[in-house]
Amino acid sequence: MRTEEARPVRLEDYRPPDWLVETVELDVSLDPTATRVRATLALKPNGNGAAPAPLVLDGDALTLAALTLDGAPLPSEQYVATPGRLTIAQPPQRPFRLTIETVVDPSANTQLSGLYRSGAIYCTQCEAEGFRRITYFPDRPDVMAVYTTRIEAEKDAAPVLLANGNLVDSGDVPGTSRHFAVWHDPFPKPSYLFALVGGTLACVEDRFRTMSGRDVTLRIYVERGKEARCAHAMDSLKRAMRWDETVFGREYDLDIFMIVAVSDFNMGAMENKGLNIFNDKYVLASPETATDVDFDRIEAIIAHEYFHNWTGNRITCRDWFQLCLKEGLTVFRDQEFSADERSRAVERIGDVRGLRAHQFVEDAGPLAHPVRPRLYHEINNFYTATVYEKGAEVVRMIKTLLGPESFRKGMDLYFARHDGQAATIEQFVQCFADVSGRDLGQFMLWYSQAGTPEIVATGNYDARGRTYRLDVAQTVPATPGQPSKEPMVIPLAIGLVGRDGRDLPLELADGRAIERGVLALTKPAESFVFRDVGEPPVPSLNRGFSAPIKLVANISADDLRFLAARDSDAFNRWQAVQTLATRLLLDNTAALRAGRQARKDAGLIDALGAVLADGALEPAFMALMLTLPGEADIAREIGRDVDPDAIFAARAALRSAVGEALAGPLFDHYRRLSESAPYSPDAASAGRRALRNACLDLLAATRRADAVALAARQYRSADNMTDRMAALSTLSFIDAPERSAALDDFYARYADDPLIVDKWFSLQAAIPEPATLDRVKALTAHSAFSFSNPNRVRALIHAFALSNQKEFNRADGAGYDFVVDTVLALDPKNPQVAARLLSSLKSWRVLEPARRALAEKALQRVAAASSLSPDTADIVQRALAK
Ligand code: PHE
Ligand code: ZN
């Protein structure tokens, strides 16, 4: 484990590096327990640095085997080597070559950071600070070097040897059973983008001709026997490459692009230059093994990592505070890609649901932090929904404020101006200021102020004056370390909808222009008066979710139903239904807690009935309209004194009432959609499956026997994983013999496939019944489960904490204790996974007092443990901070 020291890192302490590295020559001799790494660094003093400077290189759990300077061994009194640092106090103040030899044990590396083994495969993960676990190095992103990597290994143990860049040499090592490969990456890069892979891997190959006519070899490496499951990933990659050329003018730059899928990986995937390494969950897919949602995620993540080649690799981050410079921007790009490839409205609704479920919750709790944090103890804990998803919203708001043409010009300028550099957020935003002539000073608050802005909007129609006045007030709640906030720039896209469903013209009485229907709010409170409004309009606010805010508006239930049926903005049609349902669920949760009856709301059911009757809607959109807010959504809206049992009861009752009242049209749609052609993975077919399965789920929520039988039949007869999983998921909520039969059958069918068994773990963890905790505990002893594989831990334990609000938040606190026990057991092995799991307790303060006390006690048990990793210590300290 990393040597422990409290080391807050602060943005304002940034200093340019004293030493630069021009080239790195790595010579890696792979061995299961003693891999020898010889690194030769061409160092030179940085003109900008403080001279004469000592040379201080980062390390993590390293042992130095040899050290030479310009070819001569360095006398031991001239340097100090500890596991965490190599210091040469008085290096020559001129360029020199330092050769460092270290020996590392990849088999003992359970943290999955640095050089490790996934099964028999050797692979690396260097972001954020893993390279220092391979060799001593100035392991910071503003030190960019040209790498040449020679890898040597036993031929039969590692027939495939890969690293960044282009292959320049390979062959046998004479007189031995070993062979080697030499890779050269001509593009200077930070150490976090270094990667190498060695092992027995099968490969699928394709080609791509770039817009300037260069041919690029594309290869996806997977475990033998899995080649057939790479087709979707390869297809996604080619579409992403073409899209980046068309939409952003970005062309790929090496002769080869490789993806390697491994089964032990802490995150989703990693954008190493020319050699992306993926969690195999986000590569492997076939109709029989992956759901439509899996296909969708794979496409998005393949695109995301590919897009990093320009936003992250060619232009990287000056320091880790700028993480959103690459992540927020690249999430924005992958979301736009998915929107163009599929349905824009469906993509947007999905993205906003994710943002609210993860980022809004983070922003409202003790782990809240700005999109660009100012301070961190452990950077691994800042790969968050705020940096990624809110970071993407901030980029989207720049586009909304500037318009698409100006936005593209700004991006072009960014690529032209900063190619090859390690850049900052200021430099990025400056490009948009330069091309548009706008002052984006106040806009920068989106990067520095945490918390979700709350907007209260009140509209009033004046029939006599034919005007409509919209009063808006904004506040940003206090967050850790930020008690008071400044007003932000909020791009609020709006429409005033007339009785016929058409937008009325938007003209401000004071003559100010409204560009593209967007009001730019800048003040704590302001009013907008629209003239020549001939009828009382229904306001449609924050269209397309133009700003990541909480909006409170005085819109009646009748007007919401009107918007649900008629708004020209598809996002707000969906939002109107969500708002109706949320209002009802909040009332009913409160009623049930107070021992009163839940109220029936014909209005919501009418709105949903109208959705089912609207033949013009695309099925994927209809499916989203029918999906009621989740328990976590309701808890988030309640915000304090949360009782998960009451929320569950209110939601279950509503689902059952909807299924009962709309049984006729739900059955009709189910049958209509069952007649469709054989399986096809395209978006339109996936949408039809989504709608059919949404209908089934609402019908089964009534527990009626015909619906349960239908789900059981669909489970048995499904010819694809989407329909099989959907049926099993529906059944898993019903304590009936059909459930255990289907669960047993599912395991028997797919026992050999870990990624599918993960689905089986997750489903069982989500069952909202008191027996689930014991079931989950028992499953940790299942032969298919392993605490050392992150996917298994996420599928079973993390899924329990995230998707089973009721049982995780058991009134006896046993859910918290179980998660905390797991965190403590996992922490010495894999701190990153342990810390992430612990953050599932981050919303403890919103719970009702009894659960809050139990959750706090569980957290305190973590805080009191001896020798926590920096990762877990950081999370628990922030979670408990007063
Ligand atoms: N940079 C990766 C991505 O977002 C995520 C990642 C971070 C992976 C740290 C591994 C370690 O594409
Ligand atoms: Zn990324």
Side-chain angles (χ1 to χ4, degrees), residues 4 54 222 259 280 318-319 338 345 368 440 484 517 582 605 692 696 698 716 724 729 758 875:
E4 281 156 56
V222 289
I259 290 173
D280 59 2
R318 186 193 72 173
D319 54 69
S338 296
L440 293 171
S484 65
T582 302
I605 293 191
R692 182 166 169 262
L696 178 65
L698 281 171
R716 285 192 306 271
R724 176 157 288 142
S729 163
D758 280 349
I875 297 288

Side-chain angles (χ1 to χ4, degrees), residues 162-245:
L162 311 173
N164 315 88
N166 301 312
L167 182 67
V168 292
D169 194 10
S170 64
D172 290 343
V173 181
T176 72
S177 52
R178 294 172 79 75
H179 71 151
F180 73 93
V182 182
W183 292 82
H184 177 74
D185 178 5
F187 293 95
K189 65 167 173 287
S191 48
Y192 82 86
L193 291 174
F194 170 79
L196 72 76
V197 168
T200 303
L201 289 154
C203 141
V204 174
E205 185 169 311
D206 207 329
R207 304 194 79 69
F208 180 84
R209 176 156 300 167
T210 70
M211 61 182 179
S212 74
R214 283 188 310 103
D215 275 320
V216 178
T217 301
L218 309 178
R219 284 202 190 128
I220 301 183
Y221 289 90
V222 289
E223 243 172 64
R224 279 201 185 137
K226 304 258 166 90
E227 296 92 320
R229 286 199 222 172
C230 297
H232 177 64
M234 185 65 92
D235 178 57
S236 301
L237 173 62
K238 288 188 287 182
R239 284 184 287 112
M241 293 177 84
R242 192 60 78 211
W243 185 90
D244 212 14
E245 294 184 342

Side-chain angles (χ1 to χ4, degrees), residues 480-808:
Q482 298 188 332
S484 65
K485 309 282 169 97
E486 301 290 316
M488 327 251 294
V489 181
I490 314 270
L492 196 70
I494 68 158
L496 298 179
V497 188
R499 280 296 134 203
D500 62 358
R502 282 207 300 228
D503 283 1
L504 305 172
L506 285 183
E507 281 172 39
L508 285 175
D510 62 10
R512 274 186 294 165
I514 301 177
E515 287 170 278
R516 297 173 307 279
V518 180
L519 301 176
L521 314 183
T522 56
K523 305 191 190 92
E526 50 206 305
S527 297
F528 299 88
V529 179
F530 300 90
R531 64 181 156 94
D532 296 331
V533 184
E535 55 176 306
V538 179
S540 171
L541 305 177
N542 208 28
R543 281 184 159 174
F545 206 67
S546 57
I549 55 171
K550 283 189 185 155
L551 178 68
V552 182
N554 65 331
I555 302 180
S556 69
D558 282 345
D559 284 350
L560 287 171
R561 270 196 303 282
F562 172 76
L563 290 176
R566 307 298 296 272
D567 198 337
S568 63
D569 184 70
F571 179 86
N572 269 1
R573 289 183 75 171
W574 172 81
Q575 181 61 56
V577 173
Q578 293 295 300
T579 305
L580 275 173
T582 302
R583 285 184 189 172
L584 179 63
L585 286 164
L586 293 191
D587 287 356
N588 286 351
T589 300
L592 292 175
R593 260 193 101 181
R596 285 183 277 117
Q597 284 273 303
R599 85 178 146 90
K600 303 244 184 301
D601 188 327
L604 174 65
I605 293 191
D606 288 350
L608 295 173
V611 169
L612 287 166
D614 188 339
L617 293 179
E618 54 171 331
F621 180 73
M622 261 196 192
L624 289 171
M625 293 286 261
L626 291 179
T627 306
L628 297 172
E631 292 153 58
D633 295 316
I634 304 161
R636 183 185 69 240
E637 293 299 324
I638 296 175
R640 49 173 295 277
D641 195 21
V642 166
D643 175 354
D645 286 337
I647 293 175
F648 178 82
R651 186 170 183 275
L654 178 60
R655 275 164 41 81
S656 164
V658 171
E660 204 64 69
L662 298 175
L666 289 169
F667 271 120
D668 287 347
H669 275 287
Y670 184 89
R671 275 189 293 266
R672 175 178 69 83
L673 294 159
S674 307
E675 286 156 15
S676 56
Y679 180 86
S680 153
D682 63 275
S685 309
R688 285 193 290 274
R689 282 188 289 276
L691 176 55
R692 182 166 169 262
N693 289 323
C695 292
L696 178 65
D697 201 47
L698 281 171
L699 287 166
T702 63
R703 304 281 200 266
R704 39 190 295 173
D706 54 354
V708 177
L710 202 57
R713 183 161 356 117
Q714 176 173 320
Y715 172 80
R716 285 192 306 271
S717 62
D719 67 350
N720 64 84
M721 185 53 80
T722 304
D723 287 335
R724 176 157 288 142
M725 268 297 285
L728 187 61
S729 163
T730 291
L731 285 174
S732 73
F733 274 60
I734 301 168
D735 187 4
E738 288 91 339
R739 171 170 79 191
S740 37
L743 281 170
D744 291 348
D745 175 85
F746 192 86
Y747 180 72
R749 272 177 203 260
Y750 303 113
D752 294 341
D753 196 316
L755 293 177
I756 308 183
V757 174
D758 280 349
K759 298 179 188 300
W760 183 74
F761 284 139
S762 296
L763 274 183
Q764 296 180 79
I767 296 175
E769 291 169 12
T772 294
L773 179 58
D774 284 336
R775 187 194 275 262
V776 171
K777 284 183 181 169
L779 284 170
T780 62
H782 193 282
S783 60
F785 186 81
S786 157
F787 278 104
S788 44
N789 181 291
N791 286 355
R792 302 297 96 77
V793 174
R794 278 189 287 260
L796 184 61
I797 300 165
H798 220 149
F800 172 70
L802 290 182
S803 55
N804 197 336
Q805 294 293 304
K806 182 164 159 290
E807 300 310 320
F808 172 56

Side-chain angles (χ1 to χ4, degrees), residues 271 304-305 308 326-327 330 388:
E271 69 264 24
H304 178 98
E305 305 312 329
H308 268 313
K326 74 177 177 81
E327 295 304 348
T330 304
Y388 276 65

Side-chain angles (χ1 to χ4, degrees), residues 162-387:
L162 311 173
N164 315 88
N166 301 312
L167 182 67
V168 292
D169 194 10
S170 64
D172 290 343
V173 181
T176 72
S177 52
R178 294 172 79 75
H179 71 151
F180 73 93
V182 182
W183 292 82
H184 177 74
D185 178 5
F187 293 95
K189 65 167 173 287
S191 48
Y192 82 86
L193 291 174
F194 170 79
L196 72 76
V197 168
T200 303
L201 289 154
C203 141
V204 174
E205 185 169 311
D206 207 329
R207 304 194 79 69
F208 180 84
R209 176 156 300 167
T210 70
M211 61 182 179
S212 74
R214 283 188 310 103
D215 275 320
V216 178
T217 301
L218 309 178
R219 284 202 190 128
I220 301 183
Y221 289 90
V222 289
E223 243 172 64
R224 279 201 185 137
K226 304 258 166 90
E227 296 92 320
R229 286 199 222 172
C230 297
H232 177 64
M234 185 65 92
D235 178 57
S236 301
L237 173 62
K238 288 188 287 182
R239 284 184 287 112
M241 293 177 84
R242 192 60 78 211
W243 185 90
D244 212 14
E245 294 184 342
T246 313
V247 176
F248 281 95
R250 297 297 110 200
E251 187 175 348
Y252 187 62
D253 50 11
L254 289 163
D255 302 335
I256 183 166
F257 184 79
M258 297 175 283
I259 290 173
V260 179
V262 299
S263 49
D264 300 80
F265 200 76
N266 281 344
M267 308 279 275
M270 180 63 212
E271 69 264 24
N272 318 299
K273 181 80 187 188
L275 179 58
N276 289 358
I277 298 183
F278 269 65
N279 186 326
D280 59 2
K281 177 177 165 58
Y282 297 116
V283 173
L284 303 174
S286 69
E288 298 74 36
T289 61
T291 64
D292 290 332
V293 173
D294 294 328
F295 274 76
D296 200 16
R297 289 307 295 152
I298 289 169
E299 178 179 295
I301 296 179
I302 293 269
H304 178 98
E305 305 312 329
Y306 173 73
F307 295 156
H308 268 313
N309 190 56
W310 275 95
T311 50
N313 301 4
R314 290 286 289 254
I315 306 179
T316 192
C317 304
R318 186 193 72 173
D319 54 69
W320 291 119
F321 295 101
Q322 322 294 326
L323 184 57
C324 66
L325 178 71
K326 74 177 177 81
E327 295 304 348
L329 177 54
T330 304
V331 170
F332 170 76
R333 276 151 54 70
D334 84 55
Q335 290 176 345
E336 285 296 295
F337 168 69
S338 296
D340 284 346
E341 296 289 298
R342 293 159 181 256
S343 148
R344 190 155 277 273
V346 169
E347 170 72 18
R348 187 65 185 139
I349 292 166
D351 291 342
V352 172
R353 280 176 68 181
L355 182 81
R356 285 177 170 151
H358 302 115
Q359 200 281 322
F360 277 26
V361 171
E362 184 167 82
D363 236 356
L367 302 185
H369 56 275
V371 169
R372 180 169 64 178
R374 267 191 50 243
L375 175 150
Y376 61 79
H377 283 88
E378 175 49 67
I379 188 59
N380 289 331
N381 290 337
F382 284 85
Y383 289 79
T384 59
T386 297
V387 169

